[in-house]
Amino acid sequence: MDLGFDVGSGKEGYAVLDSTCNQVAGAITKNPCTDPLFSCSPPPIKIVQLHLFGQNYACRPDSRSGRCSTANTDVQFCCRNDGN
């Protein structure tokens, strides 16, 4: 997931990419924690869950996340379906 690129008007864009770097969802919002696509932790606030296609994905930083050159973006978090 690429986090928080500035789209103007005080909003940020969040791109959700699949394992082949295709964008499958996204949000443009002032606060990702109020967007139904995400759940956040208590302070210090971090995106900890992605809700997509009826599934919940646990999100965490991943040192192997890399870069999606086809989407021209760095991946800051990886979200995995933990089965619930």
Side-chain angles (χ1 to χ4, degrees):
M1 180 168 34
D2 173 38
L3 297 180
F5 53 92
D6 184 11
V7 295
S9 303
K11 295 183 179 180
E12 295 180 333
Y14 296 80
V16 178
L17 309 171
D18 66 13
S19 60
T20 60
C21 293
N22 293 309
Q23 184 170 341
V24 295
I28 296 175
T29 181
K30 288 185 178 185
N31 181 352
C33 298
T34 61
D35 192 284
L37 195 58
F38 306 111
S39 291
C40 294
S41 68
I45 295 173
K46 298 176 185 169
I47 294 174
V48 295
Q49 200 168 53
L50 168 68
H51 310 289
L52 186 65
F53 306 129
Q55 297 291 317
N56 297 317
Y57 297 85
C59 302
R60 55 186 79 66
D62 188 330
S63 62
R64 300 169 293 153
S65 60
R67 178 170 178 78
C68 281
S69 59
T70 56
N72 194 29
T73 189
D74 292 321
V75 176
Q76 287 95 8
F77 283 85
C78 290
C79 303
R80 293 176 178 82
N81 186 333
D82 291 344
N84 53 17

